[in-house]
Amino acid sequence: MRGWHGLEDVPGDWGRSVITIGVFDGVHRGHQKMVTRAVEMARELGMSSVVVTFDPHPEEVVRPGTHPLRLTTPRHRTELLAALGVDAVCVLPFTLEFSRMSPDEFVQTILVDRLHAGGVVVGENFRFGHKAAGDIETLQTLGEKYDFVAEAVPLVSNGGVISSTLIRDRLAAGDTEAVAVALGRPHRVEGVVVRGYQRGRQLGFPTANVESPAFTAIPADGVYAGWLQCVPNGNLPVAYDGERWPAAISVGTNPTFEGVPRTVEAYALDRDDLELYGAHVAVDFGPRLRDNLRFDSVEALIGQMRADVDEARRLTAVWTPPDSF
């Protein structure tokens, strides 16, 4: 799959394309349906499929300080889109100037002149252009003008319309199983393993303390079953390449030890030999086990941690994302 950052990266000889447009944060099941339809249409028309997305998030530019929590890193988002079979992803820098394009200017400049649109696939609630003036009917009218077909894909519902906003709300409530339904996979938090207080090691459960980028969507405080793995980060070599370990995951301030900043810590079950400092890792969240609790003694905490590890071991052996909320 090709990746372009800005229109200037698009090859001059790029042929006609079927394009789908959106932020695609999370690449949830609604996004997947839309991208899959664009790939299908491209094959039907004998064209290439292109995903057009944006960075930074448009909300941060249009309404500074309101940056939505990010469900996927740019790297993981691209990886997920590639797995859906798209031929190219074009990431457009979103600026105030860009936001002021009229719908006609957006279509002509982005879709027609550079990407040679033969088809455009969007969600039925798609809006575009300055002050969101354009909708699917606008897009279809412009398609007649510029010789492309425009198709709207219905929103996906499963006890509620699946959206990035819904997923953020469910994460804030710690409902990682509902999030897995919406995503079709566990929610992932990525970051670099940094040195913490090393209390987990002292207690017999050495954890990877994961420092994630700003605006990362992290589930509510609590203990979860899930998985830990190293992932590529630029050109750096990946330790333990291809390995993925069942894990018990703690999110929070560790109330038994006061004054600890909020952290994401993952203990790879039955592994006390991993050297992960400085590694870029992914933490995939399965079911929630319990709330964070304050224990009256270290011994009581260790006893609960052993129970958490046993439950995480049991769940990660059998758990798959449920089919409905």
Side-chain angles (χ1 to χ4, degrees):
M1 187 194 74
R2 297 193 181 200
W4 306 316
H5 196 275
L7 292 177
E8 62 278 4
D9 279 357
V10 180
D13 60 351
W14 187 254
R16 300 202 77 188
S17 304
V18 173
I19 304 161
T20 186
I21 311 159
V23 178
F24 297 107
D25 188 22
V27 193
H28 57 63
R29 285 173 53 200
H31 296 148
Q32 294 165 28
K33 181 177 180 180
M34 190 163 62
V35 173
T36 298
R37 176 55 193 144
V39 171
E40 290 174 351
M41 182 187 289
R43 290 173 180 162
E44 292 166 2
L45 299 176
M47 299 178 185
S48 299
S49 55
V50 178
V51 169
V52 171
T53 187
F54 310 100
D55 189 57
H57 196 290
E59 287 292 321
E60 175 65 9
V61 175
V62 176
R63 284 176 281 277
T66 63
H67 198 304
L69 295 178
R70 182 173 282 174
L71 300 174
T72 47
T73 63
R75 183 205 61 79
H76 191 214
R77 178 179 59 177
T78 299
E79 184 181 79
L80 292 168
L81 292 170
L84 295 173
V86 300
D87 296 305
V89 172
C90 183
V91 181
L92 298 180
F94 197 91
T95 64
L96 273 176
E97 181 181 5
F98 186 96
S99 74
R100 292 170 180 146
M101 282 186 177
S102 69
D104 193 307
E105 185 181 6
F106 174 86
V107 166
Q108 182 177 8
T109 303
I110 309 298
L111 306 185
V112 177
D113 290 350
R114 296 307 301 264
L115 295 172
H116 312 299
V120 179
V121 176
V122 295
E124 63 182 0
N125 63 342
F126 178 68
R127 304 300 296 255
F128 68 106
H130 186 49
K131 295 185 177 180
D135 57 14
I136 183 58
E137 292 183 0
T138 311
L139 191 62
Q140 289 170 337
T141 299
L142 291 170
E144 294 174 3
K145 177 180 178 180
Y146 292 111
D147 189 28
F148 63 80
V149 295
E151 181 177 313
V153 174
L155 302 179
V156 175
S157 180
N158 189 322
V161 174
I162 292 176
S163 68
S164 298
T165 299
L166 171 74
I167 293 169
R168 293 186 192 101
D169 289 345
R170 295 296 175 94
L171 283 174
D175 192 353
T176 47
E177 294 197 73
V179 169
V181 172
L183 294 175
R185 64 180 190 280
H187 174 64
R188 170 171 290 190
V189 169
E190 294 188 28
V192 176
V193 178
V194 298
R195 291 189 181 273
Y197 293 93
Q198 298 190 319
R199 289 199 178 101
R201 184 174 298 277
Q202 295 165 10
L203 299 175
F205 302 93
T207 59
N209 190 339
V210 182
E211 186 175 83
S212 54
F215 305 118
T216 296
I218 296 173
D221 289 4
V223 178
Y224 301 82
W227 295 265
L228 171 69
Q229 71 177 103
C230 291
V231 296
N233 182 27
N235 296 319
L236 296 177
V238 179
Y240 309 104
D241 190 22
E243 294 190 57
R244 185 171 186 253
W245 308 286
I249 305 158
S250 174
V251 178
T253 59
N254 199 338
T256 301
F257 302 98
E258 296 180 1
V260 177
R262 189 170 192 254
T263 60
V264 176
E265 298 180 76
Y267 166 60
L269 303 186
D270 307 314
R271 296 296 300 265
D272 59 5
D273 59 331
L274 300 177
E275 295 295 337
L276 296 176
Y277 290 123
H280 193 86
V281 299
V283 179
D284 292 334
F285 285 80
R288 180 183 174 91
L289 303 183
R290 62 175 175 86
D291 292 340
N292 273 346
L293 304 172
R294 188 183 188 280
F295 295 89
D296 293 331
S297 68
V298 172
E299 290 74 18
L301 171 61
I302 292 174
Q304 182 61 60
M305 291 172 72
R306 287 174 178 157
D308 294 337
V309 166
D310 288 343
E311 183 65 359
R313 183 182 293 108
R314 184 188 71 81
L315 286 170
T316 53
V318 299
W319 184 81
T320 56
D323 294 327
S324 61
F325 295 140

